[in-house]
């Protein structure tokens, strides 16, 4: 594999004042890009010290980035995509889409709206939008994505690069870029072009990973993926939007894996920017180091907690991990044996530990799973009344996947099977509630 790299300035503010934040190492748990000489490339994330934007440096040239996505991206990051699509991958994209659609429809009316989805992938989000009554136009430059969307969902996708496509002459009420902006050569150019598709009072939905919320199930090197050119924070995505004549209407860590969901509107107001790059750099470095310690040593940490007879001490150890205490608690509770000693530990943890919403979560490790474990605890104790109440409380915290017509249709059509959901705690909780009711 051979690609031409270039040194880059910050795409958001134009500065070349940057500092290395993280270098992806070969630890065997993440995909690395390697040249013909065996050396890794596109593996160093720097932070612009004048605005806080995080980006790969050195990075692909514009033409080489396009070639990478044509020739190598799918084989490395979506293995098997060219031949078949696993039900587990479909389940993942479906749950991700439903989390975004639930968030979006709570803020915007969708019925009858003209929606453009840029980078529509397998078509499941376009299907969700259509199910809500929107008139959707999906665009994707990948021929395989166009084929999959048509075969699986009957979604007719336009195959073109939105940066140069003819569709820019049309105007839409809502423009969506989900998990797209971080892959672009220039996010600034991409936002400017995407805004051309918006009506004057239109809205843009952006979904991107947040640098402050590394995904619970993977290490930092895999989170700062070799396929990502940029990683954003609320401050930097706001600055980028403002420089493109857009204002932030809403922003929350409500997407899959605590991705940022952001609503933008056209905005000509001048916005003052305060540079906090130094403080953010120190915070992220501390957070990333702790996250990786948990990822690579969690087995030993959990075994020590299980061996300890001092429950209060175990809770203190958990709380000492201020950025990843939720993750430790999740693994600890899922490891406890169903015996009196394990139940005693569970009881004291529930009484003394409060789930932190300031930490990253995913479809497994989240507040609802914590409440689900509490329901399991009551069930093991034989207190079925409290167990039922707890399962219902947990269910309330989960997106209601099984209540979406899209999910029901995909199950009936055989695109998915209920077995596809077996690994998820939210599915067990949904099924328990349905059995009870």
């Amino acid at each position: 594999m051979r690609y031409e790299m270039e040194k880059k300035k910050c795409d958001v503010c134009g500065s070349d004042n940057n500092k290395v934040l993280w270098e992806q190492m070969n630890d065997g748990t993440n995909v690395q890009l390697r040249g013909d000489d065996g050396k890794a490339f596109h593996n160093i994330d720097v932070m612009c010290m004048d605005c806080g934007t995080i980006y790969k440096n050195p990075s692909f040239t514009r033409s080489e980035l396009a070639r990478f996505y044509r020739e190598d991206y799918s084989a490395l990051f979506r293995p098997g995509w060219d031949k078949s699509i696993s039900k587990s991958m479909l389940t993942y994209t479906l749950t991700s889409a439903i989390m975004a659609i639930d968030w979006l429809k709570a803020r915007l009316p969708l019925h009858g709206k003209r929606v453009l989805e840029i980078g529509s992938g397998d078509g499941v989000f376009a299907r969700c939008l259509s199910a809500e009554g929107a008139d959707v136009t999906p665009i994707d430059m990948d021929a395989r994505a166009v084929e999959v969307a048509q075969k699986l969902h009957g979604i007719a996708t336009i195959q073109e690069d939105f940066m140069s496509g003819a569709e820019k002459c049309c105007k839409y009420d809502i423009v969506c870029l989900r998990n797209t902006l971080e892959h672009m050569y220039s996010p600034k150019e991409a936002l400017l072009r995407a805004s051309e598709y918006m009506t004057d009072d239109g809205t843009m939905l952006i979904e991107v990973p947040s640098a402050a919320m590394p995904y619970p199930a993977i290490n930092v090197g895999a989170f700062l993926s070799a396929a990502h050119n940029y990683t954003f924070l609320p401050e930097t995505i706001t600055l980028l939007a403002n420089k493109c004549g857009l204002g932030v209407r809403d922003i929350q860590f409500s997407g899959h894996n605590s991705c940022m969901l952001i609503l933008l509107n056209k905005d000509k107001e001048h916005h003052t920017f305060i540079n906090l790059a130094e403080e953010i750099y120190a915070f992220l470095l501390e957070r990333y180091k702790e996250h990786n310690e948990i990822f690579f040593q969690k087995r030993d940490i959990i075994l020590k907690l299980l061996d300890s007879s001092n429950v209060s001490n175990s809770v203190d150890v958990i709380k000492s991990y201020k950025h990843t205490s939720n993750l430790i608690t999740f693994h600890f509770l899922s490891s406890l044996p169903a015996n009196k000693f394990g139940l005693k530990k569970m009881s004291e943890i529930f009484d003394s530990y409060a789930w932190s919403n300031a930490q990253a979560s995913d479809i497994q490790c989240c507040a609802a799973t914590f409440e689900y474990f509490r329901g399991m605890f009551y069930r093991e104790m034989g207190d079925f009344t409290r167990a039922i109440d707890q399962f219902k409380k947990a269910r309330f915290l989960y997106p209601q996947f099984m209540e979406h017509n899209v999910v029901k249709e995909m199950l009936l059509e055989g695109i998915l099977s209920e077995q596809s959901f077996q690994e998820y705690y939210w599915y067990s909780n949904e099924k328990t509630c349905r059995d009870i009711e």
Side-chain angles (χ1 to χ4, degrees):
M1 189 186 298
R2 182 177 295 176
Y3 285 95
E4 183 182 347
M5 296 284 115
E6 65 180 1
K7 284 280 190 178
K8 294 184 73 170
K9 293 183 178 180
C10 175
D11 187 60
V12 177
C13 73
S15 171
D16 60 0
N17 175 26
N18 59 69
K19 185 160 56 171
V20 173
L21 175 65
W22 200 264
E23 181 174 355
Q24 186 189 65
M25 307 305 291
N26 183 19
D27 53 41
T29 62
N30 45 273
V31 177
Q32 280 201 313
L33 305 184
R34 291 190 171 274
D36 294 340
D37 58 1
K39 293 182 179 178
F41 65 92
H42 208 245
N43 64 325
I44 298 174
D45 283 89
V46 302
M47 176 180 282
C48 172
M49 302 312 292
D50 289 328
C51 75
T53 297
I54 300 167
Y55 61 100
K56 292 289 190 303
N57 201 22
S59 189
F60 292 104
T61 64
R62 188 186 296 271
S63 61
E64 292 289 73
L65 180 63
R67 182 167 73 89
F68 169 70
Y69 280 103
R70 278 197 316 270
E71 298 179 3
D72 289 315
Y73 172 74
S74 289
L76 289 167
F77 294 94
R78 296 191 294 197
W81 168 262
D82 59 329
K83 297 176 182 176
S84 65
I85 300 177
S86 68
K87 283 184 167 55
S88 61
M89 179 187 287
L90 282 175
T91 305
Y92 177 79
T93 59
L94 173 64
T95 53
S96 168
I98 285 176
M99 293 179 81
I101 204 76
D102 279 350
W103 188 85
L104 182 61
K105 73 180 185 181
R107 289 158 177 79
L108 289 176
L110 298 178
H111 193 272
K113 298 297 182 181
R114 298 190 70 228
V115 182
L116 174 68
E117 186 188 4
I118 297 168
S120 52
D122 66 9
V124 69
F125 189 64
R127 182 170 183 169
C128 289
L129 287 165
S130 296
E132 296 297 330
D135 178 13
V136 189
T137 301
I139 292 179
D140 203 293
M141 61 190 299
D142 182 11
R144 176 60 172 159
V146 174
E147 178 188 16
V148 169
Q150 180 65 57
K151 285 183 175 180
L152 284 181
H153 307 295
I155 298 291
T157 303
I158 298 170
Q159 185 184 351
E160 65 180 25
D161 181 356
F162 87 99
M163 294 293 289
S164 56
E167 282 294 315
K168 64 177 176 291
C169 64
C170 301
K171 299 291 183 180
Y172 295 86
D173 302 305
I174 304 171
V175 176
C176 303
L177 293 95
R178 295 183 57 245
N179 304 296
T180 300
L181 205 61
E182 64 270 26
H183 295 272
M184 304 302 293
Y185 176 79
S186 168
K188 191 174 183 180
E189 290 178 5
L191 271 193
L192 286 168
R193 178 55 59 87
S195 67
E196 294 178 11
Y197 294 82
M198 297 167 62
T199 59
D200 289 341
D201 59 350
T203 304
M204 188 182 300
L205 169 69
I206 304 289
E207 182 172 358
V208 288
S210 168
M213 297 284 193
Y215 299 169
I218 59 178
N219 67 63
V220 174
F223 167 69
L224 297 171
S225 170
H228 291 177
N229 296 308
Y230 294 86
T231 310
F232 298 98
L233 292 153
E235 296 84 355
T236 55
I237 200 74
T238 299
L239 178 62
L240 172 62
N242 294 160
K243 286 184 175 289
C244 295
L246 300 166
V248 175
R249 169 176 163 178
D250 199 352
I251 180 168
Q252 291 185 15
F253 301 109
S254 297
H256 76 293
N257 290 318
S258 295
C259 280
M260 288 188 289
L261 290 169
I262 307 139
L263 289 183
L264 305 176
N265 295 112
K266 291 187 176 181
D267 180 8
K268 296 181 180 179
E269 294 292 323
H270 173 73
H271 297 271
T272 302
F273 173 72
I274 300 174
N275 181 22
L276 299 174
E278 289 288 353
E279 293 90 335
I280 293 171
Y281 183 93
F283 167 79
L284 289 181
L285 205 57
E286 176 189 355
R287 186 160 205 162
Y288 289 174
K289 288 178 178 178
E290 182 182 301
H291 183 95
N292 264 20
E293 178 186 349
I294 296 298
F295 181 85
F296 290 110
Q297 300 179 29
K298 66 186 175 190
R299 183 176 179 275
D300 292 337
I301 294 170
I302 296 303
L303 285 175
K304 288 180 180 178
L305 292 173
L306 290 171
D307 288 342
S308 174
S309 59
N310 188 328
V311 181
S312 297
N313 183 60
S314 295
V315 172
D316 289 340
V317 170
I318 291 171
K319 289 180 178 179
S320 70
Y321 292 95
K322 61 182 180 180
H323 302 300
T324 49
S325 55
N326 287 350
L327 187 58
I328 287 292
T329 302
F330 167 75
H331 287 297
F332 189 28
L333 290 175
S334 60
S335 302
L336 283 172
N339 57 39
K340 291 183 179 180
F341 185 60
L343 291 174
K344 182 175 184 297
K345 282 193 175 186
M346 289 180 82
S347 176
E348 294 204 25
I349 290 172
F350 290 135
D351 290 342
S352 61
Y353 183 76
W355 195 267
S356 172
N357 291 322
Q359 297 177 28
S361 63
D362 60 20
I363 203 68
Q364 292 284 62
C365 176
C366 59
T369 298
F370 184 67
E371 301 301 341
Y372 170 76
F373 281 138
R374 196 193 296 266
M376 294 297 289
F377 163 72
Y378 289 137
R379 194 172 76 171
E380 290 290 337
M381 292 291 289
D383 191 341
F384 296 109
T385 300
R386 293 180 75 182
I388 290 171
D389 290 341
Q390 199 60 44
F391 285 135
K392 288 182 176 179
K393 180 179 179 181
R395 187 186 186 202
F396 178 76
L397 292 172
Y398 279 88
Q400 302 301 299
F401 296 102
M402 291 300 175
E403 293 180 6
H404 279 264
N405 287 332
V406 170
V407 180
K408 295 173 184 175
E409 289 171 5
M410 290 175 72
L411 289 171
L412 286 172
E413 293 170 15
I415 297 173
L416 289 177
S417 63
E418 288 211 28
Q419 283 69 35
S420 307
F421 301 106
Q422 292 292 355
E423 63 186 278
Y424 297 114
Y425 284 104
W426 62 260
Y427 171 77
S428 301
N429 180 60
E430 284 269 8
K431 196 170 187 305
T432 300
C433 286
R434 282 184 282 149
D435 289 344
I436 291 170
E437 294 171 350

